[in-house]
Amino acid sequence: MLNNVMLLIGITLMYATPLVFGALGGVISERSGVVNIGIEGMMTIGALAGAAVSFYTGNPWIAFLCAGIAGGVFALLHAVAAVTFRADQNVSGIALNMLGPGLALFLARLMWDGGTQSPSIETLPKIFGRGAFAGTPWANLNVDVTVVFGIIAAAVVWFVLYKTKWGLRVRAVGEHPSAADTLGINVSRTRFICVVLSGVMAGFGGASITLAIISQFTQTAVAGQGFIALAAVIFGKWTPHGAFGACLLFGMAQALVIILGGGVVPIPSEILAIMPYILTLVVLVLFVGRSVAPKADGVPYEKGSRG
């Protein structure tokens, strides 16, 4: 029994971690007042960058960092469109979700002789599964080090948003940018930085997939997880701790799919495959009306206006 519980926890944490990074990116961006539905595309670019750098350098640690940088660079497109040119943020995000996978596949074909997936790559280490834990129920956790990074990232984002002066400025910009402007806060710069940081977090999320879960880049590596991360942002009421808890819920749904798919319960594989997405829709239907976004979320700000 304990072995099964540990296995469930381990799989939950493994699949929740990419969502945690993506959701934290969404929280950072939307708390500053910029809707970021382009997390899916940013995660895809991060997944490719992580796999490519690991393949060519053999160092997954450097690859993980490069994935975050790649996600941040890709997020610059959204920052320029949404903040600098005050374009429609939803349209910009959709464009990134279309551009990201397409660009990733194009680059993958260039790097791997026309193939749309990478060879096996060096991955980040796992914890609990080896050494003193081998042969014990704790070995069934066998979680990746990215799980620890995700927990630390959630704690850091919470601390920065709620316990620092800069976090107060970010929340002020997302709630009432004109008031923040009168206090000398550079609204555009704050939002620009937050959008780029959201891309960095999304890049880490993509790398958590390729460098920890599947050990290679594939066309379906991200497969909608960026959208599930956005659902976690809404379910978590635009807070780091709420989004983290929502990601654990979605991760558990995926874990149950894997465990039930092992033949424990005779459920058709097609039904199991869509369970996480059904849960996402149910959560959105039940909670989207009850969650209140930052007041200026999605509203472009022009200096001197009353927005």
Side-chain angles (χ1 to χ4, degrees):
M1 179 63 180
L2 183 58
N3 287 334
N4 291 333
V5 171
M6 290 298 179
L7 181 61
L8 176 64
I9 294 174
I11 298 175
T12 296
L13 292 174
M14 178 178 68
Y15 282 101
T17 299
L19 301 178
V20 167
F21 282 114
L24 290 176
V27 168
I28 293 170
S29 179
E30 301 210 13
R31 271 294 182 176
S32 72
V34 179
V35 172
N36 187 0
I37 62 175
I39 291 177
E40 176 86 3
M42 297 173 192
M43 287 182 69
T44 303
I45 292 298
L48 173 70
V53 174
S54 180
F55 175 75
Y56 286 108
T57 67
N59 190 321
W61 298 100
I62 295 177
F64 188 75
L65 292 175
C66 289
I69 295 172
V73 171
F74 193 63
L76 279 172
L77 298 175
H78 187 46
V80 170
V83 180
T84 304
F85 293 106
R86 296 184 292 277
D88 187 294
Q89 297 169 11
N90 292 316
V91 173
S92 176
I94 292 172
L96 291 186
N97 286 335
M98 297 176 66
L99 177 62
L103 179 61
L105 289 179
F106 173 73
L107 294 176
R109 288 191 173 98
L110 291 180
M111 289 185 288
W112 295 303
D113 299 326
T116 58
Q117 67 181 43
S118 71
S120 296
I121 57 176
E122 292 292 327
T123 58
L124 292 167
K126 295 180 179 292
I127 55 178
F128 289 115
R130 300 177 180 177
F133 298 102
T136 68
W138 287 94
N140 287 319
L141 280 177
N142 200 29
V143 296
D144 304 285
V145 70
T146 52
V147 172
V148 178
F149 294 162
I151 295 173
I152 293 174
V156 169
V157 171
W158 177 86
F159 180 83
V160 170
L161 281 180
Y162 295 104
K163 299 297 181 180
T164 67
K165 183 184 295 185
W166 191 77
L168 178 61
R169 291 179 175 180
V170 169
R171 289 184 287 126
V173 164
E175 292 290 342
H176 206 306
S178 60
D181 194 4
T182 60
L183 294 175
I185 299 173
N186 191 317
V187 176
S188 295
R189 182 173 63 190
T190 301
R191 288 184 169 184
F192 201 97
I193 292 172
C194 286
V195 172
V196 173
L197 287 177
S198 74
V200 172
M201 298 301 291
F204 287 151
S208 297
I209 299 172
T210 53
L211 294 175
I213 298 178
I214 63 175
S215 305
Q216 62 177 170
F217 174 80
T218 67
Q219 185 175 357
T220 58
V222 177
Q225 294 192 61
F227 298 111
I228 297 178
L230 283 175
V233 174
I234 298 172
F235 186 29
K237 298 182 178 179
W238 287 268
T239 63
H241 50 286
F244 181 82
C247 290
L248 291 179
L249 175 63
F250 292 128
M252 181 174 290
Q254 185 64 51
L256 290 174
V257 168
I258 294 174
I259 292 176
L260 294 177
V264 177
V265 180
I267 300 177
S269 59
E270 294 81 3
I271 299 298
L272 290 173
I274 64 175
M275 275 181 57
Y277 303 100
I278 292 177
L279 177 62
T280 303
L281 292 175
V282 170
V283 165
L284 286 174
V285 170
L286 294 179
F287 292 95
V288 70
R290 302 179 184 178
S291 299
V292 180
K295 292 181 181 179
D297 193 23
V299 181
Y301 179 72
E302 185 175 358
K303 189 175 180 62
S305 68
R306 295 185 178 182

